[in-house]
PDB file of all heavy atoms in Angstrom:
ATOM      1  N   LEU A  13      32.565 -42.051 -50.440  1.00 89.00           N
ATOM      2  CA  LEU A  13      32.664 -42.349 -49.014  1.00 89.00           C
ATOM      3  C   LEU A  13      31.308 -42.298 -48.315  1.00 89.00           C
ATOM      4  O   LEU A  13      31.114 -42.910 -47.265  1.00 89.00           O
ATOM      5  CB  LEU A  13      33.617 -41.362 -48.327  1.00 89.00           C
ATOM      6  CG  LEU A  13      35.123 -41.632 -48.450  1.00 89.00           C
ATOM      7  CD1 LEU A  13      35.898 -40.538 -47.752  1.00 89.00           C
ATOM      8  CD2 LEU A  13      35.478 -42.985 -47.861  1.00 89.00           C
ATOM      9  N   ILE A  14      30.365 -41.574 -48.906  1.00 89.00           N
ATOM     10  CA  ILE A  14      29.026 -41.477 -48.312  1.00 89.00           C
ATOM     11  C   ILE A  14      28.389 -42.856 -48.203  1.00 89.00           C
ATOM     12  O   ILE A  14      27.645 -43.139 -47.251  1.00 89.00           O
ATOM     13  CB  ILE A  14      28.136 -40.514 -49.119  1.00 89.00           C
ATOM     14  CG1 ILE A  14      28.688 -39.088 -49.020  1.00 89.00           C
ATOM     15  CG2 ILE A  14      26.684 -40.556 -48.635  1.00 89.00           C
ATOM     16  CD1 ILE A  14      27.936 -38.073 -49.845  1.00 89.00           C
ATOM     17  N   ASN A  15      28.665 -43.731 -49.162  1.00 90.00           N
ATOM     18  CA  ASN A  15      28.111 -45.084 -49.112  1.00 90.00           C
ATOM     19  C   ASN A  15      28.574 -45.815 -47.856  1.00 90.00           C
ATOM     20  O   ASN A  15      27.774 -46.474 -47.173  1.00 90.00           O
ATOM     21  CB  ASN A  15      28.537 -45.875 -50.361  1.00 90.00           C
ATOM     22  CG  ASN A  15      27.919 -45.316 -51.632  1.00 90.00           C
ATOM     23  OD1 ASN A  15      26.712 -45.352 -51.814  1.00 90.00           O
ATOM     24  ND2 ASN A  15      28.759 -44.792 -52.515  1.00 90.00           N
ATOM     25  N   ASP A  16      29.860 -45.696 -47.530  1.00 91.00           N
ATOM     26  CA  ASP A  16      30.381 -46.330 -46.321  1.00 91.00           C
ATOM     27  C   ASP A  16      29.801 -45.677 -45.069  1.00 91.00           C
ATOM     28  O   ASP A  16      29.507 -46.353 -44.076  1.00 91.00           O
ATOM     29  CB  ASP A  16      31.910 -46.233 -46.284  1.00 91.00           C
ATOM     30  CG  ASP A  16      32.566 -47.147 -47.307  1.00 91.00           C
ATOM     31  OD1 ASP A  16      31.908 -48.132 -47.714  1.00 91.00           O
ATOM     32  OD2 ASP A  16      33.711 -46.875 -47.706  1.00 91.00           O
ATOM     33  N   MET A  17      29.627 -44.374 -45.118  1.00 87.00           N
ATOM     34  CA  MET A  17      29.053 -43.671 -43.965  1.00 87.00           C
ATOM     35  C   MET A  17      27.634 -44.149 -43.693  1.00 87.00           C
ATOM     36  O   MET A  17      27.238 -44.340 -42.539  1.00 87.00           O
ATOM     37  CB  MET A  17      29.063 -42.154 -44.216  1.00 87.00           C
ATOM     38  CG  MET A  17      30.455 -41.542 -44.269  1.00 87.00           C
ATOM     39  SD  MET A  17      30.461 -39.824 -44.857  1.00 87.00           S
ATOM     40  CE  MET A  17      29.550 -39.014 -43.548  1.00 87.00           C
ATOM     41  N   GLN A  18      26.859 -44.350 -44.749  1.00 87.00           N
ATOM     42  CA  GLN A  18      25.490 -44.823 -44.586  1.00 87.00           C
ATOM     43  C   GLN A  18      25.437 -46.210 -43.959  1.00 87.00           C
ATOM     44  O   GLN A  18      24.456 -46.567 -43.303  1.00 87.00           O
ATOM     45  CB  GLN A  18      24.774 -44.843 -45.942  1.00 87.00           C
ATOM     46  CG  GLN A  18      24.366 -43.473 -46.449  1.00 87.00           C
ATOM     47  CD  GLN A  18      23.519 -43.575 -47.705  1.00 87.00           C
ATOM     48  OE1 GLN A  18      23.866 -44.299 -48.649  1.00 87.00           O
ATOM     49  NE2 GLN A  18      22.418 -42.862 -47.727  1.00 87.00           N
ATOM     50  N   GLN A  19      26.492 -46.994 -44.172  1.00 88.00           N
ATOM     51  CA  GLN A  19      26.542 -48.348 -43.629  1.00 88.00           C
ATOM     52  C   GLN A  19      27.336 -48.405 -42.322  1.00 88.00           C
ATOM     53  O   GLN A  19      27.658 -49.490 -41.841  1.00 88.00           O
ATOM     54  CB  GLN A  19      27.164 -49.290 -44.663  1.00 88.00           C
ATOM     55  CG  GLN A  19      26.350 -49.381 -45.952  1.00 88.00           C
ATOM     56  CD  GLN A  19      27.036 -50.245 -47.005  1.00 88.00           C
ATOM     57  OE1 GLN A  19      27.537 -51.323 -46.702  1.00 88.00           O
ATOM     58  NE2 GLN A  19      27.071 -49.772 -48.240  1.00 88.00           N
ATOM     59  N   TYR A  20      27.628 -47.220 -41.748  1.00 84.00           N
ATOM     60  CA  TYR A  20      28.326 -47.117 -40.467  1.00 84.00           C
ATOM     61  C   TYR A  20      29.701 -47.795 -40.500  1.00 84.00           C
ATOM     62  O   TYR A  20      30.149 -48.376 -39.514  1.00 84.00           O
ATOM     63  CB  TYR A  20      27.482 -47.711 -39.326  1.00 84.00           C
ATOM     64  CG  TYR A  20      26.190 -46.951 -39.098  1.00 84.00           C
ATOM     65  CD1 TYR A  20      25.011 -47.341 -39.709  1.00 84.00           C
ATOM     66  CD2 TYR A  20      26.167 -45.822 -38.272  1.00 84.00           C
ATOM     67  CE1 TYR A  20      23.834 -46.637 -39.517  1.00 84.00           C
ATOM     68  CE2 TYR A  20      25.000 -45.117 -38.062  1.00 84.00           C
ATOM     69  CZ  TYR A  20      23.831 -45.526 -38.700  1.00 84.00           C
ATOM     70  OH  TYR A  20      22.666 -44.824 -38.506  1.00 84.00           O
ATOM     71  N   LYS A  21      30.375 -47.718 -41.627  1.00 86.00           N
ATOM     72  CA  LYS A  21      31.713 -48.271 -41.744  1.00 86.00           C
ATOM     73  C   LYS A  21      32.748 -47.201 -41.385  1.00 86.00           C
ATOM     74  O   LYS A  21      32.578 -46.033 -41.738  1.00 86.00           O
ATOM     75  CB  LYS A  21      31.970 -48.772 -43.169  1.00 86.00           C
ATOM     76  CG  LYS A  21      31.131 -49.970 -43.585  1.00 86.00           C
ATOM     77  CD  LYS A  21      31.498 -50.394 -45.010  1.00 86.00           C
ATOM     78  CE  LYS A  21      30.688 -51.608 -45.449  1.00 86.00           C
ATOM     79  NZ  LYS A  21      31.023 -52.010 -46.852  1.00 86.00           N
ATOM     80  N   PRO A  22      33.809 -47.583 -40.692  1.00 83.00           N
ATOM     81  CA  PRO A  22      34.874 -46.616 -40.391  1.00 83.00           C
ATOM     82  C   PRO A  22      35.480 -46.089 -41.692  1.00 83.00           C
ATOM     83  O   PRO A  22      35.714 -46.854 -42.634  1.00 83.00           O
ATOM     84  CB  PRO A  22      35.898 -47.445 -39.610  1.00 83.00           C
ATOM     85  CG  PRO A  22      35.124 -48.602 -39.076  1.00 83.00           C
ATOM     86  CD  PRO A  22      34.073 -48.901 -40.110  1.00 83.00           C
ATOM     87  N   ILE A  23      35.704 -44.779 -41.747  1.00 84.00           N
ATOM     88  CA  ILE A  23      36.248 -44.186 -42.966  1.00 84.00           C
ATOM     89  C   ILE A  23      37.396 -43.244 -42.626  1.00 84.00           C
ATOM     90  O   ILE A  23      37.570 -42.837 -41.473  1.00 84.00           O
ATOM     91  CB  ILE A  23      35.181 -43.393 -43.753  1.00 84.00           C
ATOM     92  CG1 ILE A  23      34.713 -42.177 -42.934  1.00 84.00           C
ATOM     93  CG2 ILE A  23      34.000 -44.274 -44.142  1.00 84.00           C
ATOM     94  CD1 ILE A  23      33.877 -41.202 -43.710  1.00 84.00           C
ATOM     95  N   PHE A  24      38.169 -42.908 -43.642  1.00 83.00           N
ATOM     96  CA  PHE A  24      39.192 -41.879 -43.513  1.00 83.00           C
ATOM     97  C   PHE A  24      39.057 -40.932 -44.699  1.00 83.00           C
ATOM     98  O   PHE A  24      39.080 -41.370 -45.851  1.00 83.00           O
ATOM     99  CB  PHE A  24      40.606 -42.477 -43.500  1.00 83.00           C
ATOM    100  CG  PHE A  24      41.681 -41.417 -43.513  1.00 83.00           C
ATOM    101  CD1 PHE A  24      41.995 -40.721 -42.356  1.00 83.00           C
ATOM    102  CD2 PHE A  24      42.354 -41.099 -44.684  1.00 83.00           C
ATOM    103  CE1 PHE A  24      42.961 -39.725 -42.364  1.00 83.00           C
ATOM    104  CE2 PHE A  24      43.323 -40.107 -44.707  1.00 83.00           C
ATOM    105  CZ  PHE A  24      43.630 -39.416 -43.534  1.00 83.00           C
ATOM    106  N   TRP A  25      38.898 -39.643 -44.396  1.00 82.00           N
ATOM    107  CA  TRP A  25      38.793 -38.629 -45.449  1.00 82.00           C
ATOM    108  C   TRP A  25      39.937 -37.650 -45.268  1.00 82.00           C
ATOM    109  O   TRP A  25      40.130 -37.101 -44.189  1.00 82.00           O
ATOM    110  CB  TRP A  25      37.454 -37.901 -45.350  1.00 82.00           C
ATOM    111  CG  TRP A  25      37.334 -36.745 -46.308  1.00 82.00           C
ATOM    112  CD1 TRP A  25      37.102 -36.804 -47.651  1.00 82.00           C
ATOM    113  CD2 TRP A  25      37.432 -35.342 -45.989  1.00 82.00           C
ATOM    114  NE1 TRP A  25      37.043 -35.533 -48.196  1.00 82.00           N
ATOM    115  CE2 TRP A  25      37.254 -34.628 -47.202  1.00 82.00           C
ATOM    116  CE3 TRP A  25      37.655 -34.634 -44.807  1.00 82.00           C
ATOM    117  CZ2 TRP A  25      37.290 -33.234 -47.247  1.00 82.00           C
ATOM    118  CZ3 TRP A  25      37.693 -33.251 -44.854  1.00 82.00           C
ATOM    119  CH2 TRP A  25      37.514 -32.561 -46.075  1.00 82.00           C
ATOM    120  N   GLU A  26      40.682 -37.437 -46.313  1.00 81.00           N
ATOM    121  CA  GLU A  26      41.801 -36.506 -46.267  1.00 81.00           C
ATOM    122  C   GLU A  26      41.376 -35.168 -46.846  1.00 81.00           C
ATOM    123  O   GLU A  26      40.946 -35.087 -48.003  1.00 81.00           O
ATOM    124  CB  GLU A  26      42.994 -37.054 -47.046  1.00 81.00           C
ATOM    125  CG  GLU A  26      44.234 -36.177 -46.922  1.00 81.00           C
ATOM    126  CD  GLU A  26      45.450 -36.796 -47.567  1.00 81.00           C
ATOM    127  OE1 GLU A  26      45.330 -37.907 -48.139  1.00 81.00           O
ATOM    128  OE2 GLU A  26      46.532 -36.180 -47.498  1.00 81.00           O
ATOM    129  N   ASN A  27      41.456 -34.145 -46.043  1.00 78.00           N
ATOM    130  CA  ASN A  27      41.051 -32.804 -46.447  1.00 78.00           C
ATOM    131  C   ASN A  27      41.963 -32.287 -47.558  1.00 78.00           C
ATOM    132  O   ASN A  27      43.164 -32.108 -47.342  1.00 78.00           O
ATOM    133  CB  ASN A  27      41.109 -31.867 -45.240  1.00 78.00           C
ATOM    134  CG  ASN A  27      40.587 -30.479 -45.561  1.00 78.00           C
ATOM    135  OD1 ASN A  27      40.246 -30.179 -46.706  1.00 78.00           O
ATOM    136  ND2 ASN A  27      40.503 -29.631 -44.553  1.00 78.00           N
TER     137      ASN A  27
END
Side-chain angles (χ1 to χ4, degrees):
L13 279 178
I14 294 177
N15 293 295
D16 288 337
M17 293 170 65
Q18 285 187 312
Q19 298 176 45
Y20 296 94
K21 293 181 179 179
I23 65 169
F24 174 77
W25 174 76
E26 185 174 1
N27 185 356

